[in-house]
Coordinates of all heavy atoms in Angstrom, one line a residue:
M1 N 20.1 -2.7 -18.5 CA 21.1 -1.9 -17.7 C 20.5 -2.1 -16.3 O 19.2 -1.8 -16.1 CB 21.2 -0.5 -18.1 CG 22.2 0.3 -17.2 SD 22.4 2.0 -17.8 CE 23.5 1.8 -19.2
N2 N 21.3 -2.3 -15.3 CA 20.8 -2.3 -13.9 C 20.5 -1.0 -13.4 O 21.0 0.0 -13.7 CB 22.0 -2.9 -13.0 CG 22.2 -4.4 -13.3 OD1 21.3 -5.1 -13.7 ND2 23.4 -4.8 -12.9
R3 N 19.5 -0.9 -12.5 CA 19.0 0.3 -11.9 C 19.3 0.4 -10.5 O 19.1 -0.6 -9.7 CB 17.5 0.4 -12.1 CG 17.0 1.8 -11.7 CD 15.5 1.9 -11.9 NE 15.1 1.9 -13.3 CZ 15.0 3.1 -14.0 NH1 15.3 4.2 -13.4 NH2 14.8 3.2 -15.3
I4 N 19.9 1.6 -10.0 CA 20.3 1.8 -8.6 C 19.3 2.9 -8.1 O 19.1 4.0 -8.8 CB 21.7 2.3 -8.5 CG1 22.7 1.1 -8.9 CG2 22.1 2.7 -7.1 CD1 24.1 1.4 -9.0
L5 N 18.9 2.8 -6.9 CA 18.1 3.9 -6.2 C 19.0 4.3 -5.0 O 19.4 3.6 -4.2 CB 16.8 3.3 -5.7 CG 16.0 4.2 -4.8 CD1 15.6 5.5 -5.5 CD2 14.8 3.5 -4.2
V6 N 19.2 5.7 -5.0 CA 20.0 6.3 -3.9 C 18.9 7.1 -3.0 O 18.2 7.9 -3.5 CB 21.0 7.3 -4.4 CG1 21.7 8.0 -3.2 CG2 22.0 6.6 -5.4
I7 N 18.9 6.7 -1.7 CA 18.0 7.4 -0.8 C 18.9 8.0 0.2 O 19.6 7.3 1.0 CB 17.0 6.4 -0.1 CG1 16.2 5.7 -1.2 CG2 16.1 7.2 0.8 CD1 15.3 4.6 -0.5
D8 N 19.0 9.3 0.2 CA 19.9 10.1 1.1 C 19.3 11.5 1.3 O 18.8 12.1 0.4 CB 21.3 10.2 0.6 CG 22.4 10.7 1.6 OD1 22.1 11.7 2.2 OD2 23.2 9.9 1.9
D9 N 19.2 11.9 2.6 CA 18.6 13.2 2.7 C 19.4 14.4 2.4 O 19.0 15.5 2.5 CB 18.1 13.3 4.3 CG 19.3 13.2 5.2 OD1 20.3 12.7 4.9 OD2 19.1 13.6 6.4
E10 N 20.6 14.2 2.0 CA 21.5 15.3 1.5 C 21.5 15.2 0.0 O 21.9 14.3 -0.7 CB 22.9 15.2 2.0 CG 23.0 15.4 3.5 CD 24.4 15.4 4.0 OE1 25.3 16.0 3.3 OE2 24.7 14.7 5.1
Q11 N 21.0 16.3 -0.6 CA 20.8 16.4 -2.1 C 22.3 16.3 -2.7 O 22.4 15.6 -3.8 CB 20.2 17.6 -2.6 CG 19.9 17.7 -4.1 CD 19.1 16.7 -4.6 OE1 18.0 16.3 -4.1 NE2 19.6 15.9 -5.6
A12 N 23.3 16.9 -2.1 CA 24.6 16.8 -2.7 C 25.1 15.4 -2.8 O 25.8 15.0 -3.8 CB 25.6 17.7 -1.8
I13 N 24.8 14.6 -1.8 CA 25.3 13.1 -1.9 C 24.5 12.4 -3.0 O 25.1 11.7 -3.9 CB 24.9 12.4 -0.6 CG1 25.7 13.1 0.6 CG2 25.1 10.9 -0.7 CD1 27.2 12.9 0.5
C14 N 23.2 12.7 -3.1 CA 22.4 12.1 -4.3 C 23.0 12.5 -5.6 O 23.2 11.7 -6.5 CB 21.0 12.5 -4.2 SG 20.1 11.8 -2.8
T15 N 23.3 13.8 -5.7 CA 23.8 14.2 -7.0 C 25.2 13.7 -7.3 O 25.5 13.3 -8.5 CB 23.9 15.8 -7.0 OG1 22.6 16.3 -6.7 CG2 24.4 16.4 -8.3
S16 N 26.0 13.7 -6.3 CA 27.4 13.1 -6.5 C 27.4 11.6 -6.9 O 28.1 11.2 -7.8 CB 28.2 13.2 -5.2 OG 28.4 14.6 -4.9
L17 N 26.6 10.8 -6.2 CA 26.5 9.4 -6.5 C 25.9 9.1 -7.9 O 26.3 8.3 -8.6 CB 25.7 8.6 -5.5 CG 26.4 8.5 -4.1 CD1 25.5 8.0 -3.1 CD2 27.6 7.5 -4.3
K18 N 24.9 10.0 -8.2 CA 24.3 9.8 -9.6 C 25.3 10.1 -10.7 O 25.5 9.4 -11.6 CB 23.1 10.8 -9.8 CG 22.4 10.6 -11.2 CD 21.1 11.3 -11.3 CE 20.5 11.0 -12.6 NZ 19.2 11.1 -12.6
F19 N 26.1 11.2 -10.5 CA 27.2 11.5 -11.4 C 28.2 10.4 -11.5 O 28.6 10.1 -12.6 CB 27.8 12.9 -11.0 CG 28.9 13.3 -11.9 CD1 28.7 13.8 -13.1 CD2 30.2 13.1 -11.5 CE1 29.7 14.2 -14.0 CE2 31.2 13.5 -12.3 CZ 31.0 14.0 -13.6
A20 N 28.6 9.8 -10.4 CA 29.6 8.9 -10.4 C 29.1 7.5 -11.1 O 30.0 6.7 -11.6 CB 30.0 8.6 -9.0
L21 N 27.9 7.2 -11.0 CA 27.3 6.0 -11.4 C 26.6 5.9 -12.8 O 26.4 4.9 -13.3 CB 26.4 5.4 -10.3 CG 27.0 5.1 -9.0 CD1 25.9 4.9 -7.9 CD2 27.9 3.9 -9.0
E22 N 26.2 7.1 -13.2 CA 25.2 7.1 -14.3 C 25.8 6.6 -15.7 O 25.1 6.3 -16.6 CB 24.7 8.5 -14.5 CG 25.6 9.6 -14.9 CD 25.0 10.9 -14.8 OE1 23.8 11.1 -14.7 OE2 25.8 11.9 -15.0
D23 N 27.1 6.5 -15.8 CA 27.7 5.9 -17.1 C 27.5 4.5 -17.1 O 27.4 3.9 -18.3 CB 29.2 6.3 -17.1 CG 29.4 7.7 -17.5 OD1 28.6 8.4 -17.8 OD2 30.6 8.1 -17.2
E24 N 27.4 3.8 -16.0 CA 27.3 2.3 -16.0 C 25.9 1.8 -15.6 O 25.5 0.7 -15.8 CB 28.3 1.7 -15.1 CG 29.7 2.0 -15.5 CD 30.1 1.3 -16.8 OE1 29.6 0.2 -17.0 OE2 30.9 1.9 -17.5
Y25 N 25.0 2.6 -14.9 CA 23.8 2.3 -14.3 C 22.8 3.4 -14.6 O 23.1 4.5 -14.8 CB 23.9 2.1 -12.8 CG 25.0 1.1 -12.4 CD1 26.2 1.5 -12.1 CD2 24.8 -0.3 -12.5 CE1 27.3 0.6 -11.7 CE2 25.8 -1.2 -12.1 CZ 27.0 -0.7 -11.7 OH 28.0 -1.6 -11.4
E26 N 21.5 2.9 -14.5 CA 20.4 3.8 -14.5 C 20.3 4.2 -13.1 O 20.3 3.3 -12.2 CB 19.1 3.3 -15.1 CG 19.2 3.0 -16.5 CD 17.9 2.4 -17.1 OE1 16.8 2.8 -16.6 OE2 18.0 1.6 -18.0
V27 N 20.2 5.5 -12.7 CA 20.2 5.9 -11.3 C 19.0 6.8 -11.0 O 18.8 7.8 -11.7 CB 21.5 6.6 -11.0 CG1 21.5 7.1 -9.5 CG2 22.7 5.8 -11.3
D28 N 18.3 6.4 -10.0 CA 17.2 7.3 -9.5 C 17.7 7.7 -8.1 O 18.3 7.0 -7.3 CB 15.9 6.5 -9.2 CG 15.4 6.0 -10.6 OD1 15.0 7.0 -11.4 OD2 15.2 4.9 -10.8
T29 N 17.3 9.0 -7.7 CA 17.7 9.5 -6.4 C 16.5 10.1 -5.8 O 15.7 10.6 -6.4 CB 18.8 10.5 -6.5 OG1 18.4 11.7 -7.2 CG2 20.1 9.9 -7.2
T30 N 16.5 10.1 -4.5 CA 15.5 10.8 -3.7 C 16.1 11.2 -2.4 O 17.0 10.6 -1.8 CB 14.2 10.1 -3.6 OG1 13.3 10.9 -2.8 CG2 14.4 8.8 -2.8
T31 N 15.6 12.3 -1.8 CA 16.0 12.7 -0.4 C 14.9 12.3 0.6 O 15.0 12.6 1.8 CB 16.2 14.2 -0.3 OG1 15.0 14.9 -0.7 CG2 17.4 14.6 -1.2
S32 N 13.9 11.5 0.2 CA 12.8 11.2 1.1 C 12.7 9.7 1.1 O 12.6 9.0 0.1 CB 11.5 11.8 0.5 OG 10.4 11.1 1.0
A33 N 12.6 9.1 2.4 CA 12.3 7.7 2.5 C 11.0 7.2 1.9 O 10.9 6.2 1.2 CB 12.3 7.3 4.0
D34 N 9.9 8.0 2.1 CA 8.7 7.7 1.5 C 8.7 7.7 0.0 O 8.2 6.8 -0.6 CB 7.6 8.7 1.9 CG 7.2 8.5 3.5 OD1 7.4 7.5 4.0 OD2 6.7 9.5 4.0
E35 N 9.3 8.7 -0.7 CA 9.4 8.7 -2.1 C 10.3 7.5 -2.6 O 10.0 6.9 -3.6 CB 10.1 10.0 -2.6 CG 10.3 10.1 -4.1 CD 9.1 9.9 -4.9 OE1 7.9 10.2 -4.4 OE2 9.2 9.6 -6.1
G36 N 11.3 7.2 -1.8 CA 12.2 6.0 -2.2 C 11.2 4.7 -2.2 O 11.4 3.9 -3.1
L37 N 10.5 4.6 -1.2 CA 9.6 3.4 -1.2 C 8.6 3.4 -2.4 O 8.2 2.4 -2.9 CB 8.8 3.3 0.1 CG 9.8 2.9 1.3 CD1 9.0 3.2 2.7 CD2 10.3 1.6 1.3
N38 N 8.1 4.6 -2.7 CA 7.3 4.8 -3.8 C 7.9 4.3 -5.2 O 7.4 3.7 -6.1 CB 6.7 6.2 -4.0 CG 5.7 6.5 -2.9 OD1 4.9 5.6 -2.5 ND2 5.5 7.7 -2.6
I39 N 9.2 4.8 -5.3 CA 10.0 4.4 -6.5 C 10.2 2.9 -6.6 O 10.0 2.3 -7.7 CB 11.4 5.1 -6.5 CG1 11.1 6.6 -6.7 CG2 12.3 4.6 -7.6 CD1 12.4 7.5 -6.4
L40 N 10.4 2.3 -5.4 CA 10.5 0.8 -5.4 C 9.2 0.1 -5.8 O 9.3 -0.9 -6.5 CB 10.9 0.3 -4.0 CG 12.4 0.5 -3.7 CD1 12.6 0.3 -2.2 CD2 13.2 -0.6 -4.5
Q41 N 8.1 0.7 -5.6 CA 6.8 0.2 -6.1 C 6.6 0.3 -7.6 O 6.0 -0.5 -8.2 CB 5.6 0.8 -5.3 CG 5.6 0.6 -3.8 CD 5.3 -0.9 -3.5 OE1 6.2 -1.8 -3.6 NE2 4.1 -1.1 -3.2
R42 N 7.2 1.3 -8.2 CA 6.9 1.7 -9.6 C 8.0 1.1 -10.5 O 7.8 1.0 -11.7 CB 6.9 3.2 -9.8 CG 5.7 3.9 -9.0 CD 5.5 5.4 -9.4 NE 6.8 6.1 -9.6 CZ 7.3 6.8 -8.7 NH1 6.7 7.0 -7.5 NH2 8.5 7.5 -8.9
R43 N 9.1 0.9 -10.1 CA 10.3 0.5 -10.9 C 11.0 -0.8 -10.5 O 11.0 -1.0 -9.2 CB 11.3 1.7 -11.0 CG 10.8 2.9 -11.6 CD 11.8 3.8 -12.0 NE 11.3 4.9 -12.7 CZ 11.4 6.2 -12.3 NH1 12.1 6.5 -11.2 NH2 10.8 7.2 -12.9
Q44 N 11.6 -1.5 -11.4 CA 12.4 -2.5 -11.0 C 13.8 -2.0 -10.6 O 14.6 -1.5 -11.3 CB 12.6 -3.4 -12.2 CG 13.6 -4.6 -12.0 CD 13.1 -5.6 -10.9 OE1 12.0 -5.9 -10.9 NE2 14.1 -6.1 -10.1
I45 N 14.2 -2.1 -9.3 CA 15.3 -1.6 -8.7 C 16.2 -2.8 -8.4 O 15.8 -3.8 -7.7 CB 15.1 -0.8 -7.5 CG1 14.2 0.4 -7.8 CG2 16.4 -0.3 -6.9 CD1 14.8 1.5 -8.8
D46 N 17.5 -2.8 -8.8 CA 18.4 -3.9 -8.4 C 19.2 -3.6 -7.2 O 19.6 -4.6 -6.5 CB 19.4 -4.0 -9.7 CG 18.7 -4.4 -10.9 OD1 18.0 -5.4 -11.0 OD2 18.7 -3.6 -11.9
L47 N 19.5 -2.4 -6.9 CA 20.3 -2.0 -5.7 C 19.8 -0.7 -5.1 O 19.6 0.3 -5.9 CB 21.8 -1.9 -6.1 CG 22.8 -1.4 -5.1 CD1 22.9 -2.5 -3.9 CD2 24.2 -1.1 -5.7
V48 N 19.8 -0.7 -3.8 CA 19.4 0.5 -3.1 C 20.7 1.0 -2.3 O 21.2 0.2 -1.5 CB 18.3 0.4 -2.2 CG1 18.0 1.7 -1.4 CG2 17.0 0.0 -3.0
L49 N 21.1 2.2 -2.4 CA 22.1 2.8 -1.6 C 21.3 3.7 -0.6 O 20.7 4.7 -0.9 CB 23.1 3.7 -2.4 CG 23.9 3.0 -3.5 CD1 24.8 3.9 -4.2 CD2 24.7 1.8 -2.8
L50 N 21.3 3.3 0.7 CA 20.5 3.9 1.7 C 21.2 4.5 2.8 O 22.0 3.8 3.4 CB 19.5 2.7 2.2 CG 18.6 3.1 3.4 CD1 17.6 4.2 2.9 CD2 17.9 1.9 3.8
D51 N 20.9 5.7 3.1 CA 21.5 6.4 4.2 C 21.0 5.9 5.5 O 19.8 5.7 5.6 CB 21.2 8.0 4.1 CG 22.0 8.8 5.0 OD1 23.0 8.3 5.7 OD2 21.7 10.0 5.2
W52 N 21.9 5.7 6.4 CA 21.5 5.2 7.8 C 20.7 6.2 8.5 O 19.8 5.8 9.2 CB 22.8 4.8 8.5 CG 22.6 4.1 9.8 CD1 21.7 4.4 10.8 CD2 23.3 3.0 10.3 NE1 21.8 3.6 11.8 CE2 22.8 2.7 11.6 CE3 24.4 2.3 9.8 CZ2 23.3 1.7 12.3 CZ3 24.9 1.3 10.6 CH2 24.4 1.0 11.8
R53 N 21.1 7.5 8.4 CA 20.4 8.4 9.2 C 19.7 9.5 8.2 O 20.3 10.4 7.7 CB 21.5 9.2 10.0 CG 22.1 8.3 11.0 CD 23.0 9.0 11.9 NE 23.6 8.1 12.9 CZ 24.7 8.3 13.6 NH1 25.3 9.4 13.5 NH2 25.1 7.4 14.5
L54 N 18.5 9.3 8.0 CA 17.7 10.1 7.2 C 16.9 11.2 8.0 O 16.5 10.9 9.1 CB 16.6 9.3 6.4 CG 17.2 8.3 5.4 CD1 16.2 7.3 5.0 CD2 17.8 9.0 4.2
E55 N 16.7 12.3 7.5 CA 16.0 13.3 8.2 C 14.5 12.8 8.2 O 13.8 12.5 7.2 CB 16.0 14.7 7.4 CG 15.3 15.8 8.1 CD 15.6 17.1 7.5 OE1 16.7 17.4 7.1 OE2 14.6 17.8 7.4
G56 N 13.9 12.7 9.4 CA 12.6 12.4 9.6 C 12.3 10.8 9.5 O 11.1 10.3 9.5
A57 N 13.3 10.0 9.3 CA 13.2 8.6 9.2 C 14.5 7.8 9.7 O 15.6 8.4 9.5 CB 12.8 8.1 7.8
D58 N 14.3 6.7 10.2 CA 15.5 5.9 10.6 C 15.8 4.9 9.5 O 14.9 4.2 9.0 CB 15.2 5.1 11.9 CG 16.3 4.3 12.4 OD1 16.6 3.2 11.8 OD2 17.0 4.7 13.3
G59 N 17.1 4.9 9.1 CA 17.5 4.1 7.9 C 17.2 2.6 8.1 O 16.9 1.9 7.2
I60 N 17.4 2.2 9.4 CA 17.2 0.7 9.7 C 15.7 0.4 9.5 O 15.3 -0.6 9.0 CB 17.6 0.5 11.1 CG1 19.1 0.6 11.2 CG2 17.2 -1.0 11.5 CD1 20.0 -0.3 10.4
D61 N 14.7 1.3 9.9 CA 13.3 1.1 9.7 C 13.0 1.1 8.2 O 12.2 0.3 7.7 CB 12.5 2.2 10.4 CG 12.6 2.0 11.9 OD1 12.8 1.0 12.4 OD2 12.4 3.1 12.5
V62 N 13.6 2.0 7.4 CA 13.4 2.0 5.9 C 13.9 0.7 5.4 O 13.3 0.0 4.5 CB 14.1 3.1 5.3 CG1 14.0 3.1 3.8 CG2 13.5 4.5 5.9
L63 N 15.2 0.1 5.9 CA 15.6 -1.1 5.4 C 14.7 -2.2 5.6 O 14.5 -3.0 4.7 CB 17.0 -1.4 6.1 CG 17.6 -2.8 5.9 CD1 18.0 -3.0 4.3 CD2 18.8 -3.0 6.7
K64 N 14.1 -2.3 6.8 CA 13.1 -3.3 7.1 C 12.0 -3.2 6.2 O 11.5 -4.3 5.8 CB 12.7 -3.2 8.6 CG 13.8 -3.6 9.6 CD 13.3 -3.3 11.0 CE 14.3 -3.6 12.0 NZ 14.0 -3.2 13.4
E65 N 11.5 -2.1 5.9 CA 10.3 -1.9 5.0 C 10.6 -2.3 3.6 O 9.9 -3.0 3.0 CB 9.9 -0.4 5.0 CG 8.6 -0.1 4.2 CD 7.4 -0.6 4.9 OE1 7.4 -0.9 6.1 OE2 6.4 -0.7 4.2
I66 N 11.8 -2.0 3.1 CA 12.3 -2.4 1.8 C 12.3 -3.9 1.7 O 11.8 -4.5 0.8 CB 13.7 -1.8 1.4 CG1 13.5 -0.3 1.2 CG2 14.3 -2.5 0.2 CD1 14.9 0.5 1.2
K67 N 12.9 -4.5 2.7 CA 13.1 -6.0 2.7 C 11.8 -6.8 2.9 O 11.6 -7.8 2.3 CB 14.2 -6.4 3.7 CG 15.5 -6.0 3.4 CD 16.0 -6.3 2.0 CE 17.0 -7.4 1.9 NZ 17.3 -7.7 0.5
S68 N 10.8 -6.2 3.5 CA 9.6 -6.8 3.7 C 8.7 -6.8 2.4 O 8.1 -7.7 2.1 CB 8.8 -6.2 4.9 OG 8.3 -4.9 4.5
L69 N 8.9 -5.6 1.7 CA 8.2 -5.4 0.4 C 8.9 -6.0 -0.8 O 8.2 -6.5 -1.7 CB 7.9 -4.0 0.2 CG 7.0 -3.3 1.2 CD1 7.0 -1.7 0.8 CD2 5.6 -3.8 1.1
H70 N 10.2 -6.0 -0.7 CA 11.0 -6.4 -1.9 C 12.3 -7.2 -1.4 O 13.4 -6.7 -1.5 CB 11.5 -5.2 -2.7 CG 10.4 -4.3 -3.2 ND1 9.5 -4.6 -4.2 CD2 9.9 -3.1 -2.6 CE1 8.7 -3.7 -4.3 NE2 8.8 -2.8 -3.4
P71 N 12.1 -8.4 -0.9 CA 13.2 -9.1 -0.3 C 14.3 -9.5 -1.3 O 15.5 -9.6 -0.9 CB 12.6 -10.4 0.2 CG 11.2 -10.5 -0.5 CD 10.8 -9.2 -0.9
Q72 N 14.1 -9.3 -2.6 CA 15.1 -9.7 -3.6 C 16.1 -8.5 -3.9 O 17.2 -8.6 -4.4 CB 14.5 -10.1 -4.9 CG 13.9 -9.0 -5.8 CD 12.6 -8.4 -5.3 OE1 12.0 -8.8 -4.3 NE2 12.2 -7.4 -6.0
V73 N 15.7 -7.3 -3.3 CA 16.5 -6.1 -3.6 C 17.7 -6.1 -2.7 O 17.5 -6.2 -1.5 CB 15.7 -4.8 -3.5 CG1 16.5 -3.5 -3.6 CG2 14.5 -4.8 -4.5
N74 N 18.9 -5.8 -3.3 CA 20.1 -5.7 -2.5 C 20.2 -4.2 -2.0 O 19.8 -3.3 -2.7 CB 21.4 -5.9 -3.3 CG 21.5 -7.4 -3.7 OD1 21.3 -8.3 -2.8 ND2 21.6 -7.7 -4.9
V75 N 20.6 -4.1 -0.7 CA 20.6 -2.8 -0.1 C 22.1 -2.6 0.6 O 22.6 -3.5 1.3 CB 19.6 -2.6 1.1 CG1 19.7 -1.2 1.7 CG2 18.2 -2.8 0.4
I76 N 22.7 -1.4 0.2 CA 23.9 -1.1 1.0 C 23.5 0.1 1.8 O 23.1 1.2 1.3 CB 25.0 -0.8 -0.1 CG1 25.3 -2.0 -0.9 CG2 26.2 -0.2 0.6 CD1 26.3 -1.7 -2.0
M77 N 23.8 0.1 3.1 CA 23.6 1.1 4.0 C 24.9 2.0 4.0 O 26.0 1.5 4.0 CB 23.4 0.6 5.5 CG 22.2 -0.2 5.6 SD 20.6 0.7 5.6 CE 20.7 1.7 6.9
M78 N 24.6 3.3 4.0 CA 25.8 4.3 4.0 C 25.5 5.2 5.2 O 24.4 5.4 5.7 CB 25.7 5.1 2.8 CG 25.5 4.5 1.5 SD 25.4 5.6 0.1 CE 24.0 6.4 0.4
T79 N 26.6 5.8 5.7 CA 26.6 6.8 6.7 C 27.8 7.7 6.7 O 28.8 7.2 6.2 CB 26.3 6.2 8.2 OG1 26.1 7.2 9.1 CG2 27.5 5.5 8.6
A80 N 27.7 8.9 7.1 CA 28.9 9.7 7.2 C 29.8 9.3 8.3 O 31.0 9.4 8.2 CB 28.5 11.2 7.5

């Protein structure tokens, strides 16, 4: 089963996306950019849903970090 990682600083968004996707995918969520990067180090992630505007971090900077460490991971940027 494919694994999706949701990184969004709003817990309600993480919870909603997990609920919507968990029947078809394994879903990890976090409200922290640092924790998201840690999850990427520990698990095989196929897709990241990444908030553009994270509290305490810029989504574009997080995207650059993800792609430098894991260039094969697909990332979809989200914003309100």
Side-chain angles (χ1 to χ4, degrees):
M1 180 177 286
N2 290 335
R3 184 178 290 272
I4 296 174
L5 171 61
V6 178
I7 305 173
D8 194 300
D9 60 344
E10 292 186 42
Q11 184 61 51
I13 299 296
C14 291
T15 302
S16 296
L17 287 170
K18 183 171 182 156
F19 179 76
L21 297 168
E22 67 187 354
D23 288 344
E24 299 293 326
Y25 305 96
E26 293 182 35
V27 181
D28 294 299
T29 66
T30 183
T31 57
S32 161
D34 289 336
E35 178 61 22
L37 293 170
N38 287 334
I39 292 169
L40 279 164
Q41 294 292 80
R42 297 189 319 260
R43 297 195 175 121
Q44 174 64 40
I45 301 294
D46 300 296
L47 174 67
V48 176
L49 299 177
L50 175 62
D51 189 7
W52 185 317
R53 297 183 180 165
L54 295 164
E55 186 174 318
D58 181 284
I60 296 297
D61 292 335
V62 177
L63 172 63
K64 289 176 184 176
E65 184 75 15
I66 290 170
K67 293 310 260 180
S68 73
L69 296 171
H70 306 281
Q72 77 286 357
V73 173
N74 293 307
V75 180
I76 295 174
M77 298 290 296
M78 311 178 294
T79 189

